[in-house]
Amino acid sequence: MGILEKISEIEKEIARTQKNKATEYHLGLLKAKLAKYRAQLLEPSKSSAVKGEGFDVMKSGDARVALIGFPSVGKSTFLSLMTSTASEAASYEFTTLTCIPGVIEYKGANIQLLDLPGIIEGAAQGKGRGRQVIAVARTADVVIMMLDATKGEVQRCLLERELESVGIRLNKSKPNIYFKPKKGGGISFNSTVTLTQCSEKLVQLILHEYKIFNAEVLFREDCSPDEFIDVIVGNRVYMPCLYVYNKIDQISMEEVDRLARRPHSVVISCGMKLNLDYLLEKLWEYLALTCIYTKKRGQRPDFTDAIILRKGASVEHVCHRIHRSLASQFKYALVWGTSTKYSPQRVGLTHMMEHEDVIQIVKK
């Protein structure tokens, strides 16, 4: 029996099994086996096959956004509208056959936008170059899931399932579980909260399935068996996702209102160029970028060339971005903006910068 057959057998078994107190251990073991087989499926084959052409594009700009969706939902049209890159768009499926990059210039930042080929059901198993598409999506900072508003929720559920099965967790935070394999001493299990979904016995069964017999486990929040398996496997990617419903000019106002009120969702129309500016605002919010402006002594701030950093960046990060030796010669910095109590404020390397702050660095 091949890996695909084993995976489908386990999925059927999970669907058949009733969820109650008596079956939770059985379900936990099945989920652990399923995660193990899926991990094997994603590993590249060891056969010395002829290597195909590269699919990924070199990372450039301040952030990377991947466009994922079924064929013919408007990904290429969106890329052509947002960037100066022309991606071929037509009314037939699979117009785009490789990864096409473009650059969005917004608030002084260069955001790399990747138009990926449409993925189909079963992409996680390698159908229709699905594995390459999903591998590129794992390297992005934010995923934009393009959906056809006329198709309802079907596409969203299918795409979420495909991405879940290859270890991409959308709009979720990393489970707060401390896990460390040891050389000996058995399994040490503790929790700082009351656990309703996992028990010590279930944790031991899952660990034994992965041939782990000595480990330290500490639950700091009430997590499900799936989240615990994610921690053991350790190669999961947690990333923000925007669900973008295109073609809203073809549905009723009530349906548009319902879709727009869903969490992490934006409604647009590429054909009529509706709501694209709001989508850019939401994208900036999800990327969590900040612009920092620099100032020389006795001169006005340079607002033409901003330093783009992640939210939560300190003065030290700004120094490293300007020059790697600047932090070692740093004496103090003067900062104007919302991160200070008064302007200008004299700060050290650990001071946290905020969006559109101005900084002047004084060297020793």
Side-chain angles (χ1 to χ4, degrees):
M1 193 188 276
I3 293 176
L4 284 174
E5 287 82 22
K6 284 177 182 173
I7 288 173
S8 64
E9 279 292 311
I10 293 170
E11 281 174 344
K12 283 175 193 168
E13 177 72 18
I14 289 172
R16 277 200 304 267
T17 310
Q18 264 189 322
K19 281 183 184 170
N20 57 42
K21 199 76 180 156
T23 59
E24 64 178 352
Y25 300 122
H26 180 57
L27 279 170
L29 271 177
L30 287 175
K31 283 173 181 173
K33 278 181 183 168
L34 189 61
K36 212 161 76 173
Y37 286 136
R38 278 181 178 157
Q40 284 175 22
L41 193 67
L42 289 174
E43 283 170 12
S45 59
K46 290 178 176 67
S47 62
S48 57
V50 181
K51 286 187 178 176
E53 62 173 55
F55 193 83
D56 198 1
V57 176
M58 196 176 121
K59 208 165 186 175
S60 69
D62 302 298
R64 184 181 237 193
V65 177
L67 277 173
I68 279 191
F70 280 96
S72 254
V73 290
K75 297 187 295 298
S76 299
T77 314
F78 178 74
L79 181 88
S80 304
L81 278 174
M82 289 296 190
T83 68
S84 54
T85 310
S87 181
E88 192 185 341
S91 56
Y92 56 86
E93 296 188 344
F94 295 106
T95 319
T96 308
L97 294 172
T98 184
C99 180
I100 296 168
V103 176
I104 303 173
E105 290 175 3
Y106 186 68
K107 290 189 179 178
N110 290 331
I111 301 163
Q112 188 183 39
L113 186 65
L114 300 179
D115 177 19
L116 298 168
I119 63 174
I120 53 174
E121 202 177 343
Q125 278 84 44
K127 284 187 188 172
R129 293 196 88 177
R131 248 186 247 177
Q132 289 105 310
V133 173
I134 289 167
V136 174
R138 283 175 77 97
T139 65
D141 299 304
V142 169
V143 166
I144 289 183
M145 198 181 277
M146 287 291 272
L147 304 160
D148 192 334
T150 58
K151 302 270 172 71
E153 300 301 310
V154 185
Q155 290 189 343
R156 180 171 171 167
C157 296
L158 286 170
L159 281 172
E160 278 179 342
R161 199 183 310 146
E162 291 296 328
L163 294 178
E164 281 271 326
S165 65
V166 293
I168 296 176
R169 303 287 177 259
L170 302 174
N171 298 320
K172 286 181 184 173
S173 56
K174 207 170 178 181
N176 195 355
I177 300 172
Y178 172 76
F179 170 72
K180 188 183 178 185
K182 294 187 298 186
K183 293 261 170 64
I187 292 168
S188 160
F189 176 85
N190 275 306
S191 65
T192 57
V193 290
T194 309
L195 300 179
T196 57
Q197 302 171 68
C198 265
S199 66
E200 188 172 351
K201 187 183 169 188
L202 180 56
V203 166
Q204 285 178 349
L205 283 170
I206 292 170
L207 287 171
H208 288 177
E209 184 62 40
Y210 280 93
K211 306 279 189 292
I212 299 169
F213 303 101
N214 302 292
E216 207 174 319
V217 180
L218 172 63
F219 277 70
R220 294 197 184 100
E221 62 180 4
D222 188 14
C223 294
S224 65
D226 292 322
E227 289 172 321
F228 179 58
I229 291 165
D230 287 349
V231 171
I232 297 169
V233 176
N235 62 352
R236 304 303 191 223
V237 180
Y238 298 86
M239 59 170 66
C241 173
L242 261 176
Y243 300 100
V244 178
Y245 291 92
N246 188 20
K247 306 181 185 177
I248 56 165
D249 47 309
Q250 298 174 20
I251 57 173
S252 65
M253 277 304 292
E254 290 79 14
E255 184 68 6
V256 171
D257 191 52
R258 189 184 70 81
L259 292 174
R261 288 177 190 280
R262 296 209 59 183
H264 313 292
S265 299
V266 179
V267 290
I268 63 161
S269 169
C270 289
M272 296 179 76
K273 299 181 182 174
L274 299 174
N275 211 26
L276 295 175
D277 50 349
Y278 176 67
L279 172 56
L280 272 179
E281 276 178 40
K282 289 294 281 183
L283 183 59
W284 180 263
E285 185 189 313
Y286 275 62
L287 283 167
L289 298 174
T290 53
C291 294
I292 313 292
Y293 299 106
T294 54
K295 178 188 177 303
K296 289 181 182 175
R297 190 180 288 181
Q299 293 181 20
R300 293 183 70 80
D302 180 13
F303 290 118
T304 54
D305 188 20
I307 296 171
I308 309 294
L309 295 164
R310 291 294 151 115
K311 202 168 269 183
S314 65
V315 174
E316 192 171 0
H317 291 109
V318 178
C319 292
H320 285 306
R321 180 58 73 89
I322 296 167
H323 195 274
R324 60 171 180 257
S325 66
L326 189 57
S328 58
Q329 300 168 353
F330 178 88
K331 189 177 181 185
Y332 65 90
L334 295 172
V335 176
W336 291 257
T338 52
S339 68
T340 58
K341 291 174 185 170
Y342 47 87
S343 292
Q345 184 177 333
R346 185 171 162 161
V347 297
L349 281 172
T350 53
H351 176 76
M352 290 297 175
M353 304 295 286
E354 285 182 14
H355 186 50
E356 294 185 337
D357 277 1
V358 175
I359 185 168
Q360 177 187 316
I361 295 169
V362 179
K363 294 200 285 186
K364 286 174 187 169

